[in-house]
């Protein structure tokens, strides 16, 4: 275990942008208390940022939504930026994404706006320092939990961020993601859905529409959920007795427009559901900007499990 | 408790790669909690370290596990086996009993008069009806430590506000339909406010964090303004809805 005593504030926030949050893998074992999961909306890119900086699974890094963030380094740091292309620059020169780079003392790292995708992840070798709350540092603003201060605050100008000291030596571990591992967020997303829950209660026509429509991502999209706009889906039941809802759950309220539930969703809910997105498809959806198009495709749990296992195996094989 | 509903037709529904919804009942009933409690204990034993979360709610249990350690189909088998000989947990029958000191007053419970008018009762009778009953916690959700309790006296049944408040003060005691709750933190909310409790419903420094758990029993105990203030209650009045 790294000691917090080795930590020093070594990054200063010059500009915070609209939404930059500290995220570890999330909070577990507390959902029965009404506490949401939190964690990275794009688990895939978040995990790659840690992988490229030699950090173990679960290490907290920054989720930067839309861009606008400007940071200055107080000492030399090894970092990796993955996920969306938000026009990141170091001293106004474009930064290569999905690889380990050195951010030198005094240099300004700036994120502009989305060129492709919505959320970028910035990991620092050693990981950021924050005190866990309810078993995690995942920042959930609505619940006032986690983040650097523990009270769920997003980054603000003037914040000083601490990083654990690290013994990582240059050349150690995987430094660059292979081309085939880097998602192309400019392409329309095809999302794998595990059918389940109340799918049998949807009208046949609605089931056809659900899987044969290019759905449009609505403006009403955040870390709680993403609303999709398209043909009206009709379910024979309009509301249920509230029950636990899981990451990626596709619920259909009476207006017939699906909402895909993401990391900061409420823990229980009462709308019928078509099923749940696979973990990596939920990650992909979290990179979609409003008005982008997505398609749902039904998948069996065998194929989805295979995909998830190879994703996690890659991480375990390369992690220090 | 004389009658114990049998498990007629429990169902397992996929809730994703890492979870199953176990649907034990169709309708809300206090007795469901004895079964949900028993099922939770059995899942803890059967899944061990592979268990991630158990979310009980009214009629269902969401079982979340680590799919790298238990495949969805193996998890289904484990749960199905439990259901074969599941017995209700009578020790959960009592639940923990909580008494929440509550100051019922129109200054902090502006919908006392709305509920009274709706029920055709005097405000004092609404307070009596709400505070004389022992409620059961059916589910936690909406916000950390927010407990859905019921069922209230049927005469008090009252719909939600047409326009939710942007912020309901912490401790607000509220009801909607035949359910009642107390808001642990300042959040938006559309329930009818009846008063305020000084109980700390969610405390990150407390062991277990949430005062109330599914299956617990709760009674709201009316106290005077003086008593409420002495115990640290916040008497700042609410603005009534326009």
């Amino acid at each position: 275990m790294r000691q917090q005593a080795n930590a020093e504030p070594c990054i200063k926030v010059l500009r915070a942008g609209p939404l930059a949050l500290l995220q570890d893998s999330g909070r577990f074992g507390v959902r029965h208390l009404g506490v949401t999961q939190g964690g990275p909306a794009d688990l895939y890119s978040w995990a790659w940022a840690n992988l490229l900086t030699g950090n173990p699974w679960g290490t907290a890094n920054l989720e930067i939504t839309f861009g606008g963030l400007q940071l200055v380094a107080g000492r030399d740091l090894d970092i990796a930026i993955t996920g969306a292309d938000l026009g990141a620059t170091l001293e106004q020169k474009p930064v290569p994404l999905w690889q380990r780079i050195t951010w030198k003392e005094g240099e300004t790292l700036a994120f502009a706006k989305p060129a492709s995708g919505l959320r970028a992840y910035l990991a620092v070798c050693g990981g950021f320092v924050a005190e866990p709350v309810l078993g995690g540092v995942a920042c959930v603003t609505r619940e006032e939990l986690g983040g650097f201060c523990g009270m769920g605050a997003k980054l603000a100008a003037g914040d000083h961020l601490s990083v654990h000291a690290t013994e990582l030596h240059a050349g150690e571990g995987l430094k660059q993601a292979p081309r085939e591992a880097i998602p192309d967020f400019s392409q329309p997303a095809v999302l794998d859905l595990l059918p389940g829950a109340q799918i049998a209660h949807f009208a046949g026509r609605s089931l056809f529409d659900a899987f044969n429509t290019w759905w449009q991502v609505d403006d009403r999209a955040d870390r709680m959920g993403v609303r999709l706009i398209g043909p009206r889906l009709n379910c024979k039941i309009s509301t249920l007795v509230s029950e636990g809802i899981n990451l990626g759950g596709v619920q259909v309220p009476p207006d017939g427009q699906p909402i895909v539930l993401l990391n900061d969703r409420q823990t229980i809910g009462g709308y019928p559901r078509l099923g749940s997105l696979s973990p990596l498809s939920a990650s992909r959806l979290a990179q979609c900007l409003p008005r982008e198009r997505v398609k749902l495709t039904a998948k069996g749990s065998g194929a989805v499990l295979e995909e998830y296992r190879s994703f996690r195996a890659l991480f375990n094989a390369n992690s220090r | 408790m004389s009658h114990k509903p049998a498990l007629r037709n429990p169902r397992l529904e996929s809730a994703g790669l890492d979870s199953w919804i176990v649907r034990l009942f169709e309708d809300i009933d206090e007795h469901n909690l004895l079964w949900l409690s028993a099922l939770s204990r059995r899942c803890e034993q059967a899944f061990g370290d592979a268990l991630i979360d158990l979310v009980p709610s009214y009629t269902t249990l969401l079982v979340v596990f680590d799919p790298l350690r238990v495949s969805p189909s193996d998890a289904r088998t484990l749960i199905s086996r439990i259901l074969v000989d599941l017995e209700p947990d009578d020790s959960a029958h009592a639940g923990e009993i909580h008494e929440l000191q509550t100051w019922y007053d129109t200054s902090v419970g502006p919908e006392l008069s709305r509920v009274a008018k709706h029920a055709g009762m005097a405000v004092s009778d609404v307070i009596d009806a709400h505070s004389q009953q022992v409620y059961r916690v059916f589910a936690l959700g909406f916000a950390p430590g927010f407990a859905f309790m019921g069922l209230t006296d049927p005469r008090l049944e009252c719909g939600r506000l047409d326009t939710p408040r942007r912020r309901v003060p912490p401790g607000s005691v509220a009801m909607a339909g035949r359910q009642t709750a107390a808001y642990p933190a300042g959040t938006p909310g559309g329930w009818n406010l009846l008063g305020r409790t000084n109980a700390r419903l969610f405390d990150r420094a407390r062991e277990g964090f949430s005062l109330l758990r599914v299956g617990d029993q709760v009674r709201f105990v009316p106290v005077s303004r003086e008593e409420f203030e002495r115990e640290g209650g916040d008497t700042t009045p609410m603005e009534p809805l326009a």
Side-chain angles (χ1 to χ4, degrees), chain B residues 188-215:
Chain B
W191 288 30
N192 299 286
L193 307 189
L194 308 182
R196 212 174 274 173
T197 177
N198 50 30
R200 281 186 68 82
L201 296 149
F202 195 84
D203 183 348
R204 60 178 72 198
R206 179 201 288 138
E207 169 103 32
F209 313 116
S210 176
L211 181 65
L212 308 177
R213 302 293 181 104
V214 170

Side-chain angles (χ1 to χ4, degrees), chain A residues 31-32 243-247 265 267-268 273 276, chain B residues 13-16 18-23 36 39-40 43 51-57 59-65 79:
Chain A
R31 230 191 284 177
H32 62 293
E243 59 189 42
I245 44 179
N246 209 22
L247 182 69
R265 69 198 177 282
T267 53
I268 61 173
R273 295 189 306 281
S276 289
Chain B
E13 295 165 2
S14 167
D18 63 354
S19 50
W20 289 98
I21 277 271
V22 192
R23 191 173 306 286
L36 291 168
L39 180 57
S40 296
C43 284
L51 190 67
I52 292 188
D53 269 297
L54 288 171
V55 190
S57 177
T59 55
T60 55
L61 181 71
L62 176 69
V63 182
V64 187
F65 49 87
I79 300 166

